[in-house]
Amino acid sequence: MKNIKLTLWGLFLGLSALWLLADSLLPAPFTYFSFRGVFVQYTGLLLMGAMSLAMILAARPKWLEPRLNGLDKMYRLHKWLGISTLVLGVIHWWWAQGTKWMVGWGWLVKPARKGAGPGGPGGPGMGADTLAEWLRSQRGLAENIGEWAFYAAVVLLVLALVKRFPYHRFVQTHKWLAALYLLLVYHALILFKAEYWSQPVGWALALLLLGGTVAAWLVLSRRVGAGRKVAGRIESLTYYPELQVLETAIQLEPGWAGHTAGQFAFATSDQGEGAHPYTIASAWEPESRRIVFITKALGDHTSRLREKLKVGAGVVVEGPYGCFDFNDRQPLQIWIGAGIGITPFIARMKQLAARPGQQSIHLFHPTAEYSEAAIAKLRADAAAAGVHLHLLVSPRDGLLDGERIRQAVPDWRQASLWFCGPPAFGQALRQDFQAQGMAAERFHQELFQMR
């Protein structure tokens, strides 16, 4: 979380600092219209900066993952940037469009335009064939395109934030933002002050727009993750009715780069539905090229998987992604896999069973549902990996909290804590353990929410 907060604030503060080197929010003379002029430029800069970085993250660049501690953190940053884009867009739109309305209503009087001088229309050296003249001729079109692209973007951003909007529809409609982004790039190139482009603020914005444009092309051409996709076929399906959980084993074709326990991948079994992210529940063995996903019926798509998936059917797997890799030097690790959050820990136990480690490990698995067959597998995995399993079925054993963990693991101060499960539960445990003195960098949480 620290890295994504630093990135978010670093973007806005960095662009603000560069902009203040080029202009001021206190123009002289200070009037409503002089302030509006610079404020529209400033908010436009922040808006396009945020939208450009969000677009770059949407392309899932592999080089950014270790710097932001995983694709799950990148998507959380992407979401925050989307919310920032929505807020900045409304502010930018109001100062640009609302002022025109207020002039029309008679609430404001627009100052008379200054006559053309050197560098203005018709001035020396400014023939009709110059770039400056062409840019001026495009302003009306750029303003109209920006306004209507803004309206469409607001609708798509709001839909992205509404959890009830079906995931597959979200995936389908969210891609349209890439096309709208390209329209807004045109809007920015025409309306950003020409003198800014020769200064650091212009260079920074140009790099962001270039990166965002390349990312938008990848999204629109469906090239995102193209180099990390491998075809496979479903080898087996195992359903646990008490848990409403489906275990899917897939035989991959050659080309998979391998994965580390705790990572996840995108799987596409239906082109109309698109790719869905799933945590990998198996260790990687190059000889078998077998990968396992465990999915719980939590939404429209996952609820239908049991009926839609068939043994022998083709699947495309993209990945792996994520940095929830259990890599630290603490002598003790505490794992908490709440509900379906147990999945990455299953993969890690299978890995440890084949290649034992030196750390002492306590795994807590709180669950509201119980399946004898699933728990038998979990106990076998824990025994094979040398992991101390603490099973809590909440209707019978009550709820898990920080104090209960500390009582079960007295030397917890020497441990790192790895959590996967409901975000609110993870946040509560994080605050509890940090209040008891655990360093923030020892608490690792998978933020497995892709919207």
Side-chain angles (χ1 to χ4, degrees):
M1 294 292 284
K2 180 181 178 181
N3 286 355
I4 60 178
K5 289 179 181 178
L6 288 174
T7 302
L8 182 69
W9 286 109
L11 173 71
F12 291 138
L13 292 176
L15 289 177
S16 296
L18 293 176
W19 188 83
L20 288 172
L21 291 175
D23 214 324
S24 170
L25 285 172
L26 297 172
F30 187 88
T31 66
Y32 174 89
F33 283 95
S34 65
F35 176 75
R36 171 189 180 259
V38 294
F39 192 68
V40 166
Q41 291 285 322
Y42 175 61
T43 54
L45 169 69
L46 297 185
L47 171 61
M48 291 309 299
M51 199 169 188
S52 296
L53 183 53
M55 189 58 61
I56 291 169
L57 294 174
R60 302 199 276 270
K62 186 177 181 179
W63 60 272
L64 263 180
E65 259 209 283
R67 291 165 176 81
L68 292 175
N69 199 27
L71 186 65
D72 58 317
K73 311 300 189 300
M74 290 168 60
Y75 269 66
R76 179 60 60 90
L77 175 59
H78 177 85
K79 180 178 180 179
W80 287 357
L81 288 166
I83 295 171
S84 300
T85 295
L86 185 58
V87 173
L88 287 166
V90 170
I91 295 171
H92 180 80
W93 166 83
W94 173 250
W95 278 88
Q97 189 65 32
T99 297
K100 296 178 182 179
W101 291 345
M102 289 189 284
V103 170
W105 298 334
W107 295 4
L108 293 171
V109 178
K110 187 176 182 180
R113 297 188 66 178
K114 296 180 180 180
M126 294 298 294
D129 60 343
T130 65
L131 175 62
E133 188 70 25
W134 181 82
L135 290 173
R136 277 192 293 275
S137 73
Q138 297 293 305
R139 289 183 65 87
L141 177 61
E143 289 176 354
N144 288 332
I145 286 177
E147 180 182 353
W148 289 103
F150 162 75
Y151 297 146
V154 166
V155 173
L156 294 179
L157 288 170
V158 170
L159 287 177
L161 295 172
V162 176
K163 296 295 185 181
R164 289 194 173 187
F165 190 60
Y167 181 85
H168 69 285
R169 296 298 182 196
F170 155 74
V171 171
Q172 292 168 355
T173 58
H174 205 58
K175 291 180 180 178
W176 299 346
L177 279 169
L180 295 176
Y181 171 78
L182 294 177
L183 294 177
L184 290 171
V185 168
Y186 166 77
H187 172 86
L189 289 172
I190 298 299
L191 298 177
F192 201 53
K193 279 188 180 180
E195 55 265 32
Y196 291 163
W197 294 113
S198 61
Q199 300 180 61
V201 66
W203 308 338
L205 181 59
L207 287 174
L208 286 167
L209 294 178
L210 178 61
T213 298
V214 172
W217 175 82
L218 290 173
V219 171
L220 293 173
S221 61
R222 299 183 179 181
R223 296 288 300 168
V224 173
R228 305 176 79 174
K229 293 181 179 178
V230 176
R233 293 206 170 272
I234 297 176
E235 184 180 84
S236 65
L237 296 164
T238 306
Y239 185 64
Y240 300 93
E242 301 91 342
L243 306 178
Q244 292 186 297
V245 162
L246 180 67
E247 180 182 293
T248 306
I250 299 170
Q251 179 71 43
L252 295 177
E253 294 180 3
W256 186 253
H259 60 265
T260 299
Q263 292 188 298
F264 63 92
F266 290 86
T268 304
S269 56
D270 180 348
Q271 289 296 331
E273 184 71 29
H276 284 253
Y278 305 107
T279 300
I280 301 169
S282 58
W284 176 244
E285 297 296 340
E287 299 79 15
S288 65
R289 299 199 310 275
R290 189 171 181 267
I291 191 169
V292 177
F293 296 118
I294 297 178
T295 54
K296 185 175 176 63
L298 296 174
D300 292 343
H301 173 70
T302 49
S303 297
R304 296 194 303 266
L305 281 179
R306 185 189 173 201
E307 288 73 34
K308 295 182 68 174
L309 297 184
K310 305 296 180 185
V311 173
V315 179
V316 175
V317 180
E318 175 198 334
Y321 294 102
C323 296
F324 192 79
D325 56 8
F326 305 97
N327 184 22
D328 67 32
R329 297 183 179 180
Q330 299 307 124
L332 172 64
Q333 288 187 345
I334 298 172
W335 299 350
I336 304 170
I340 195 61
I342 192 65
T343 306
F345 304 106
I346 293 174
R348 179 59 173 168
M349 287 190 293
K350 291 184 181 299
Q351 189 179 60
L352 287 173
R355 293 176 290 277
Q358 301 299 317
Q359 294 164 309
S360 176
I361 299 169
H362 288 261
L363 168 60
F364 291 82
H365 177 46
T367 178
E369 299 148 334
Y370 185 87
S371 165
E372 187 60 48
I375 294 302
K377 281 189 173 183
L378 186 63
R379 291 187 192 280
D381 286 336
V387 169
H388 305 283
L389 176 63
H390 305 261
L391 176 67
L392 292 92
V393 181
S394 54
R396 179 192 69 196
D397 304 315
L399 300 177
L400 180 66
D401 59 18
E403 185 58 33
R404 198 162 183 174
I405 294 170
R406 289 188 288 271
Q407 288 178 1
V409 188
D411 50 350
W412 64 271
R413 293 184 186 278
Q414 302 176 40
S416 59
L417 196 151
W418 298 76
F419 175 90
C420 186
F425 182 26
Q427 184 62 26
L429 285 176
R430 177 190 295 272
Q431 293 173 355
D432 181 277
F433 272 89
Q434 288 182 3
Q436 296 296 319
M438 176 176 277
E441 60 271 15
R442 289 192 186 181
F443 193 103
H444 307 271
Q445 182 175 359
E446 177 76 90
L447 302 177
F448 200 72
Q449 290 182 309
M450 298 295 111
R451 60 181 295 191

